[in-house]
Amino acid sequence: MKAEKITDAELEILKVLWQNEPLTANQIVDEVSRHKAWNVKTIRTLIYRCEEKEAVFADRSQREILYRPAISRKDYTRQTQRSLADKLFNGSMSRMMLNFMEEVELSEEELAELKEMIRHAEK
């Protein structure tokens, strides 16, 4: 499953499942409805699309179908970052990171955290 195939709306389903899995369709609807004003049919359609795209697994061995994410948040993030770097920065992750740093004002705390991450990566 390629992360770039997931729409922003479908990502909302994955976010819910990343926080709490497994969930039934009704539980997913309840969770998504807490922060999105989407109707039940829309949310159920998104669940179905995620299953079609193999972004979620559907366990049909129980009375109620239980859904789980087919990709971890970490792997999804990694794929999305790689895709963005490929599209906008000719595959250069360092250029992408430098661009983000130029565009966003970082706090002293965030800068210290980045420096620590760089030190850790150098080891």
Side-chain angles (χ1 to χ4, degrees), residues 21-80:
E21 63 165 294
L23 294 175
T24 65
N26 287 337
Q27 291 170 321
I28 295 170
V29 168
D30 290 345
E31 288 298 315
V32 171
S33 296
R34 290 176 198 230
H35 57 276
K36 296 290 181 186
W38 297 341
N39 70 41
V40 173
K41 187 174 179 181
T42 298
I43 298 169
R44 287 183 176 276
T45 298
L46 291 170
I47 295 168
Y48 175 73
R49 282 192 204 156
C50 286
E51 186 179 359
E52 278 189 324
K53 292 180 179 184
E54 299 179 351
V56 300
F57 296 119
D59 179 357
R60 290 181 164 75
S61 65
Q62 307 290 322
R63 185 173 161 260
E64 282 193 90
I65 300 170
L66 293 175
Y67 294 92
R68 289 182 174 80
I71 186 170
S72 70
R73 181 186 296 264
K74 185 176 182 177
D75 287 343
Y76 177 84
T77 301
R78 188 176 293 126
Q79 284 185 27
T80 303

Side-chain angles (χ1 to χ4, degrees), residues 113-123:
E113 189 176 345
L114 282 172
K115 288 175 184 176
E116 180 59 33
M117 292 169 86
I118 291 169
R119 278 191 291 276
H120 181 73
E122 290 175 334
K123 292 179 181 179

